[in-house]
Amino acid sequence: MSQTANPPRRRGSIGDMIFQALATGAGILVLVLLGAIIVSLLIGGLPAFRQFGVGFLTGADWDPVKQVFGSVVPIYGTIITSILALVMAVPIAFGIAFWLTELAPNWLQRPVGIAVELLAAVPSIIYGMWGFFVIVPVMAEYVQPFVIDLLGDAPGIGFLFQGPPFGTGIFTAALILGVMIIPFIAATMRDVFQTVPPVFKESAYGLGCTTWEVMRAIVIPYTRISVMGGIMLGLGRALGETMAVTFVIGNTNRISGSIFGPGNTIASLIALEFPESEAGSLKLASLMALGFMLFVISFIVLAISRMLLRTGART
Amino acid sequence: MQIPSYFTASMLALSLVATPALAQQITGAGATFPAPVYAKWGEAAKAATGLELNYQAIGSGAGQTQIFNRTVDFGASDAPVDSAKLKSANLLQFPAVMGALSAIVNIPGVEIDQLKLSGEIITEMYLGKITKWNDPKIVELNKGVTLPNLAIAPVYRADGSGTTYVWTSYLSTVSPEWKSQVGSGTSVKWVAGNGAKGNDGVAATVRQVKGAIGYVENAYAIQNKLTTTQLRNKAGNFVKPSLASFAAAAENADWKNAPDYAINLIDTQGANSWPIVSATFILLPKDPKDTVRSANVMKFFDWAYKNGADIAKSLEYIALPTAVQDAVRASWKAEIKG
Amino acid sequence: MTGASQTIHASGPARDGKIADRLARKRRFQNHVVQGLCLFATAIGLAFLVLILATLLHLGVKGLSLGVFTTVTKPPGSNGGLLNAILGSLIQTALGTAIGTPIGLLVGTYLAEYSAGSKLGDAVRFVSDVLLSAPSILIGLFVYTLLVTPFGGFSGWAGSVALAVIVIPIVVRTTEDMLRLIPVAMREAAVALGAPKWKSIVFICYRAARDGIATGVLLAIARIAGETAPLLFTSLGNLNWSVDLGKPMASLPVTIYQYAGSPFDDWVQLAWVAALLITFGVLALNVLARIVLRPRS
């Protein structure tokens, strides 16, 4: 960017105008870009919506041979894996960020911080291959049989943990997703924790607060909105993650009550089926429509989180 | 922020420097199944003819889309495209090479090509009707083999694939019930079992899960020494998967009466025919934008027909019968503008 | 702090002391537990990293050779390398970052500095966050209809643009977050010195937020360096040597995608080498950038 080449006349008002115009223009560009993506998906998916109507949203069938397509299974899979992934990742990411900013000895902060960020540097297809060849056998051999034995017959929640231990499935996918989003959330949290002015923290320490109390009463309230931003970043990646999930989720278009059962997500279904869907087919239209649904889900998730933040800010 | 602009500049410079006109390059995309043999042919043809082939395995459906949109010089598909679509897209379809599928199993104590299976039994496994390896129907075919009381875990390709198309076509051919309940396609609504991604995913799952049965391209089974099985063919004989039994299937097919070369090589006649063989197809515009590139595509496949049989064999594919090659050459001459 | 102090009911100094003592012990204990959990969390995160890297090293190193870097991709059994894929990945990742970063930076700046209370700002923030979760394959498809079909073919440009679209929302999110956290006092100081707003943003705020923004850019690079789906239908891939951005271009992720599931040992081996290269390449870039951007303190 070459703003420096234009020395501002009269207290930089022209420079200001140019810069503001540039920034606003970029904002509008992003708006148009996403609008165009969504519109192109909607147009592409229209034949499916027209053919199945509401049935596309309520149907659990995905039968390419009989040309019947419904979106319930992949939508369910997308939401459940993302939620499970967040449940696993947020506490760990928070722990890492807390440890890095407040607890770690100085000489360890940078190397460990970099190491955690490197988790984000691992390409998603590698997570998929690693998950499939390393995690899945462990899940099949040890984790799932153990948990199924332990909890499979538990009253009330037993159904959550039943089924044959294939190693793949909803839980394994969520685990991989969780690992993938840890660095996104942890890195953002750490960066924002570090921006808390030291004077705030020092005065709290001066009152005799423990590290944890400073974190809870000073750091978290101060940075809450940005922390949510980091979590959104992670959730965003989890919702749309494609390659890693396709390897480990079991890819079955049935809803199974067990978290060890196989499933599918919108993104993985699109990636798996797209290469074999030719232009003009109802299947391709259905995949486009699914992509549109994913945007709708992202919209809803974001809107809810915004609302939560606003109510949180008021009280 | 000077780094990005520096990058752009240097990348631009790089792309300007390295633009020697490669008029002889041809681009194709589609089916994953024949990708290794196309790549190998491409390498050999480059030395012999100067043609440089860039073939990308993006899937048969996507390959069809590309040639409909004319973003590549030729498309490739494992499943033949139906005649009406070929007509509306103004495409010529011809076969390039053939390959076969094998069933693979993981049963303790059972060795490669030891187990004998029939299409009917496999269908019932995938329908969830035969669930144990010591089911009387399986035992009856395998006298002398000790089969354990082990649950059968069918494994299928989770990604849409030509392999699944061929496999489900086979099951549909041998079982009316499969045909009506499930049918054939690059992905279907499976009744029983678990999905895995790609040949490698199916192979790894079968290896991990005791009692599993799956299907892979034969090249994959051979290269990875998977436990393949014998299959009963239409003549009632049990055959092992081998280039000889694949070739037998190809010889016994009725090429002449196949419209647009959409030949069906599933469960053909013949005492030694392997039942799951298929051809893979090339799609070429009849009215090419660029006649030179189109001519180069034909030149390439002409070369491959003439000289590619051994290469195909070395990668576990089967070359087309010479009569079919000649018929394709005649079609090129008659139907492609150039 | 707040809940604890309210529960003490004053009735004699001795009792107060006891309660305070118990309370202090409880607080200390709580603190220790949380600290222990945090250490544990960090250990888990690191363990995953070590596990993944170990797997990559275990499967990838044995395929490393000079030929990987000096030969282009070849058919099975022909001793191919990854030269064209490595170069293609470098070019497209660099170009994608170069296109996406300035846009993302500007959008983030707009959101943090100029959009206060405006509907447009809310809308832009919202769609940018939605864009974060867009599956990359859909972005690839969009760029396909935008740049591939109209121009009649796959190209390195199309691949780079698809990657840039992925970069933008990541940079936007981190830029806005970091700019918002810059203390007002800093801006006021700049204004007091008579600096125009844009100067205070570029020279004060960007500098203060440098680490955070760099983290965002690095996360973005890390993400696009390994992306397969958006390249598959934009730059397609190329088996031959080509650095022409107007033609199909090879890349490491697409090569992995096509080789990993192939029947042939040498291709599968190359896929793991490619995985190793991407991961350690991005890793090296991260470490390097961290050293260059060493904080001032």
Side-chain angles (χ1 to χ4, degrees), chain A residues 15-16 19 26 34 98-99 103 110 115 117 121 123 126 130 191 208-209 211-213 236 274 294 298-299 302 306, chain C residues 1 27 31 35 38-39 49 55 107 114 126-127 129 131 133 135 141 197-198 215 226 233 275 278 282-283 290 295:
Chain A
D16 265 351
F19 192 70
L34 188 85
F98 185 22
W99 189 80
L103 306 171
R110 282 176 64 77
E117 275 168 37
I126 312 295
W130 173 74
D191 286 348
C209 289
T211 332
W212 167 234
E213 285 161 352
F274 183 80
L294 184 58
S298 302
F299 266 105
L302 266 178
R306 286 278 157 78
Chain C
M1 279 195 316
R27 286 171 53 208
N31 197 34
Q35 290 188 356
C38 288
L39 189 65
L49 181 69
T55 309
V107 177
Y114 293 105
F126 201 77
V127 299
D129 284 352
L131 209 52
S133 59
L141 283 183
K197 187 171 183 183
W198 73 269
T215 304
F233 297 101
I278 298 180
V282 176
L283 231 130
R290 290 291 151 197

Side-chain angles (χ1 to χ4, degrees), chain C residues 119-242:
Chain C
K119 282 261 153 40
L120 177 67
D122 286 346
V124 170
R125 186 177 300 111
F126 201 77
V127 299
S128 169
D129 284 352
V130 173
L131 209 52
L132 272 180
S133 59
S136 46
I137 192 165
L138 294 181
I139 291 173
L141 283 183
F142 172 69
V143 175
Y144 173 83
T145 46
L146 196 72
L147 290 178
V148 176
T149 335
F151 290 93
F154 298 94
S155 68
W157 284 116
S160 306
V161 170
L163 294 182
V165 176
I166 298 172
V167 168
I168 293 172
I170 302 178
V171 177
V172 170
R173 179 87 340 269
T174 40
T175 305
E176 190 198 354
D177 285 345
M178 293 323 292
L179 288 179
R180 279 190 183 282
L181 288 167
I182 290 169
V184 185
M186 248 183 181
R187 296 165 207 267
E188 283 170 352
V191 173
L193 287 171
K197 187 171 183 183
W198 73 269
K199 265 197 171 170
S200 86
I201 293 171
V202 173
F203 294 107
I204 312 278
C205 298
Y206 281 174
R207 197 159 293 179
R210 196 181 57 171
D211 276 7
I213 294 174
T215 304
V217 176
L218 287 173
L219 284 176
I221 294 179
R223 174 145 182 209
I224 62 170
E227 278 290 356
T228 314
L231 293 180
L232 214 48
F233 297 101
T234 50
S235 65
L236 186 69
N238 201 324
L239 296 177
N240 311 300
W241 169 257
S242 173

